[in-house]
Amino acid sequence: MAKDTTDTPQGPQHVAIIMDGNGRWAQQRGRPRLFGHHAGARRVREIVESCPDVGVKYLTIFAFSTENWKRTQSEVAGLMRLFRRYIEREAKALFQDGVRVRFIGDRIKLDSKLVTLMDNLELYTADNDKVHLTIALNYGSRDEVTRAAQRLAVEIEQGRLSHKDVDAETLSRFLDTRFLPDPDLVIRTSGEARISNFLLWQSAYAEYEFLDTLWPDFTAEEFAKVVGSFGSRERRFGGATV
Ligand code: FPP
């Protein structure tokens, strides 16, 4: 979905979050990294539930990147178990809260049981419209753009599209995020000022907030504060102030 290029005087409609710092949070407590991921998952619920109160309609969260496979086998397996459990346990509450859940990222490398749970949750919540939660799982921007380019190439090869039709708008329609407006605000917790291959194309005009808070300590109050301070920013989308 293309971005409306007029100024947005109100809060951000779409917030994207890089939930970083689970490992350090656990280490500070002398616990294994997965303990931090479990605490992080509980925060996800709190933040999603607070979205209607702060006027955020679209929330996109980075749960697992295409680079996260490099972690130890036991951490990866633990995270995959956590995602399965999250879907099984949260589905009902998400549905009742009017949340529509969708996933972005390449599902090909994910275990088929997890993919079935993801598909079912998408179907189960498909008619909801209060909050649109998008979970990035095995997601990386370069991978997403590469897959989009491959699909575009097939369309051209088979004569359904001409190379002359390829512009930013067309490419956007081939991205995993085709159903989403561009993010207005990208938040990263844990003190790192990096984008880490997250929504690179979509965040061309987004504002960024890098917070020191570790993800498991990120509360709905802090979220409301960050979202609230967004309203005071002036966004020009490359234009000049008049
Ligand atoms: C980054 O922290 C976090 C992740 C790679 C996983 C994010 C996952 C969750 C918050 C768990 C739940 C999510 C859902 C959707 C149920 P890190 O491990 O890189 O932390 P560190 O930088 O301190 O090591």
Side-chain angles (χ1 to χ4, degrees), residues 87 103 107 110 114-122 137:
I87 296 175
F103 294 88
R107 298 181 193 203
L110 300 173
L114 175 59
V115 174
T116 304
L117 287 167
M118 290 159 64
D119 290 341
N120 289 345
L121 184 60
E122 285 187 336
L137 226 170

Side-chain angles (χ1 to χ4, degrees), residues 29-234:
R29 286 158 181 77
R31 304 295 299 267
R33 297 175 56 80
L34 274 168
F35 182 71
H37 294 316
H38 281 265
R42 287 192 289 278
R43 283 299 176 198
V44 171
R45 171 185 269 233
E46 182 181 333
I47 300 305
V48 173
E49 282 179 348
S50 77
C51 281
D53 303 331
V54 294
V56 171
K57 182 93 180 171
Y58 296 87
L59 179 73
T60 300
I61 55 175
F62 206 1
F64 193 87
S65 77
T66 45
E67 288 72 37
N68 285 152
W69 297 104
K70 293 181 205 145
R71 297 188 175 207
T72 63
Q73 207 240 327
S74 81
E75 184 173 353
V76 169
L79 275 167
M80 294 300 152
R81 260 195 318 273
L82 173 60
F83 298 141
R84 287 201 299 269
R85 254 177 52 184
Y86 173 82
I87 296 175
E88 283 165 350
R89 290 190 178 172
E90 299 289 313
K92 205 164 165 200
L94 287 162
F95 177 78
Q96 282 168 352
D97 287 343
V99 181
R100 178 170 191 179
V101 185
R102 279 175 288 200
F103 294 88
I104 55 171
D106 193 356
R107 298 181 193 203
I108 208 97
K109 251 181 122 175
L110 300 173
D111 137 318
S112 63
K113 195 167 165 224
L114 175 59
V115 174
T116 304
L117 287 167
M118 290 159 64
D119 290 341
N120 289 345
L121 184 60
E122 285 187 336
L123 270 173
Y124 180 49
T125 60
D127 292 331
N128 285 347
D129 185 42
K130 198 166 171 189
V131 176
H132 292 246
L133 172 65
T134 303
I135 303 177
L137 226 170
N138 193 27
Y139 174 86
S141 274
R142 288 184 174 181
D143 178 67
E144 176 193 35
V145 174
T146 307
R147 285 186 285 106
Q150 282 168 356
R151 287 199 295 267
L152 251 174
V154 170
E155 294 297 296
I156 293 169
E157 224 168 63
Q158 300 188 347
R160 285 190 291 271
L161 210 65
S162 155
H163 72 276
K164 292 185 191 128
D165 301 327
V166 180
D167 55 16
E169 158 73 33
T170 312
L171 184 59
S172 294
R173 284 195 277 111
F174 284 80
L175 295 174
D176 296 353
T177 52
R178 63 186 81 86
F179 53 86
L180 283 176
D182 286 344
D184 304 294
L185 174 66
V186 180
I187 298 171
R188 182 179 187 136
T189 56
S190 97
E192 313 283 351
R194 285 195 295 273
I195 309 168
S196 298
N197 205 9
F198 186 46
L199 302 176
L200 299 182
W201 170 279
Q202 299 84 345
S203 301
Y205 292 101
E207 299 283 335
Y208 283 88
E209 274 288 350
F210 298 103
L211 308 170
D212 287 335
T213 311
L214 302 177
W215 174 253
D217 289 327
F218 187 67
T219 59
E221 288 80 56
E222 189 169 4
F223 183 54
K225 220 167 90 189
V226 178
V227 167
S229 70
F230 177 90
S232 55
R233 294 159 183 243
E234 185 199 12

